[in-house]
Amino acid sequence: SVTIFSLKINDGDLIHADRHGAVVIPKDIISILEKSINKLLDTEQLILKPAKQNDFDFEKFKEAWEAFEAART
């Protein structure tokens, strides 16, 4: 393993880095990564789709947020 800027990286780990920082994805997580990403994308749509509607207001945001919270647990 190596440590770079306090990130410990082991053989087989993935590293995602961009201008905001970096994260190490341990190799034992890689097998569920695609499923987890798809769940994130699906649950984001519970807020993003209603937010694109012309009649989106605070009440609709609250409803969307409740659906988002219920879906991610």
Side-chain angles (χ1 to χ4, degrees):
S1 75
V2 296
T3 301
I4 302 172
F5 295 110
S6 30
L7 289 175
K8 184 177 179 184
I9 305 161
N10 295 304
D11 187 39
D13 290 350
L14 292 177
I15 303 167
H16 171 75
D18 62 17
R19 65 184 175 158
H20 302 292
V23 63
V24 176
I25 303 165
K27 65 182 171 185
D28 60 331
I29 299 297
I30 294 170
S31 64
I32 63 166
L33 194 55
E34 182 178 7
K35 181 180 177 184
S36 299
I37 290 169
N38 287 333
K39 181 170 177 84
L40 170 70
L41 294 173
D42 290 344
T43 55
E44 280 182 338
Q45 290 306 310
L46 295 171
I47 294 177
L48 295 177
K49 280 184 181 179
K52 292 177 183 178
Q53 303 302 312
N54 290 335
D55 63 344
F56 189 68
D57 59 13
F58 189 72
E59 285 303 313
K60 292 208 165 112
F61 169 75
K62 284 178 24 181
E63 291 171 15
W65 187 260
E66 289 172 7
F68 170 78
E69 286 293 320
R72 62 183 211 112
T73 57

